[in-house]
Amino acid sequence: MTAPHEINAARELIARTGETLYNRQLAHGSAGNLSIRLDDGTLLLTPTNSSLGYLDPARLSHLASDGRLLDGDPPSKEAFFHLAVYDERPTAQAVVHLHSTHCVAVSCLCHETTDDVLPPLTAYHVMRVGRLPLVPYFRPGDQALAGAVRKVAKDHHAMLLANHGPIVAGKSLRDAAWTYEELEETAKLFFLLGDRKTSPLDAAQIAEINRAFPS
Ligand code: 13P
């Protein structure tokens, strides 16, 4: 069992992070969901149809590791993909899923290959995000999405759901949120640069970054 003060701290952190992401316009309306995996393997997750800007820490959904609701409001309809990511990534302690504008725009483009859908424009993108595979489209809440997410989550902590938005896992909620923010900035740069000739980092530069900053 996680100590009550630790659960309360995690509740507050989710609410504060949600509010920050909302105020920075990375989340809008009732889109997006956040979760933390507690030390005992249970999950705190944002409730379905809640605004990340106005979360009540006491009403967050507390789930068993098999997805059963232990207490709180009914969980996000995407609880299953949070569970799939945690299953595949034992070191992940938090998951952020948002519908931020520039990332969603990338998710709506036709991509010739789906193994990495944003160029390595900056060192911070390489350090924090790495490769960004595209997961095929499923409607929000479709349980079939779990299998598709699971397959990709094995090797990637960040992925992009087609016509939907990214899922990012991290060692902490702060880590996952910072990675998400970096991803949104890269997507913004990608559109800002448009058709101009760009010079993404090459394989040697990427390898050097990965050696200097192993994840
Ligand atoms: P929930 O309100 O059920 O969390 O769904 C929001 C969302 O972002 C769906 O992708």
Side-chain angles (χ1 to χ4, degrees):
M1 268 259 296
T2 304
H5 72 275
E6 284 171 30
I7 299 190
N8 287 341
R11 288 179 183 282
E12 294 294 335
L13 183 62
I14 288 178
R16 223 169 348 124
T17 304
E19 188 179 8
T20 303
L21 294 168
Y22 186 84
N23 289 341
R24 297 197 52 219
Q25 300 187 340
L26 290 164
H28 59 272
S30 66
N33 30 74
L34 310 175
S35 68
I36 287 181
R37 174 157 56 183
L38 300 167
D39 288 348
D40 61 3
T42 64
L43 254 62
L44 276 178
L45 175 65
T46 50
T48 191
N49 281 326
S50 55
S51 165
L52 295 192
Y54 301 89
L55 292 167
D56 178 348
R59 294 180 62 175
L60 295 179
S61 315
H62 188 195
L63 304 184
S65 58
D66 62 5
R68 258 176 318 115
L69 181 63
L70 300 172
D71 63 72
D73 285 350
S76 166
K77 64 174 103 41
E78 313 283 37
F80 63 87
F81 73 54
H82 288 249
L83 291 162
V85 170
Y86 289 123
D87 256 11
E88 294 299 328
R89 305 193 67 79
T91 58
Q93 298 299 337
V95 171
V96 171
H97 166 65
L98 304 173
H99 300 175
S100 56
T101 308
H102 298 87
C103 283
V104 175
V106 173
S107 84
C108 298
L109 293 173
C110 291
H111 296 278
E112 270 165 35
T113 58
T114 57
D115 56 330
D116 189 10
V117 294
L118 271 179
L121 291 172
T122 68
Y124 258 71
H125 177 80
V126 172
M127 279 160 62
R128 286 221 150 260
V129 179
R131 300 175 77 77
L132 184 73
L134 186 74
V135 176
Y137 174 78
F138 294 88
R139 70 156 168 78
D142 183 343
Q143 303 279 324
L145 185 53
V149 166
R150 189 178 285 279
K151 236 193 299 181
V152 175
K154 230 176 161 49
D155 298 316
H156 299 275
H157 65 282
M159 66 192 81
L160 184 60
L161 309 182
N163 306 86
H164 189 165
I167 301 174
V168 174
K171 294 189 281 285
S172 64
L173 188 55
R174 188 178 74 168
D175 180 45
W178 283 359
T179 299
Y180 193 105
E181 290 184 40
E182 200 59 49
L183 178 52
E184 176 66 9
E185 291 306 313
T186 304
K188 202 186 290 181
L189 288 172
F190 175 73
F191 288 110
L192 195 65
L193 292 164
D195 291 336
R196 290 191 187 85
K197 234 170 132 59
T198 57
S199 58
L201 300 185
D202 63 26
Q205 290 166 325
I206 291 171
E208 189 208 359
I209 291 167
N210 289 335
R211 272 197 307 276
F213 307 103
S215 50

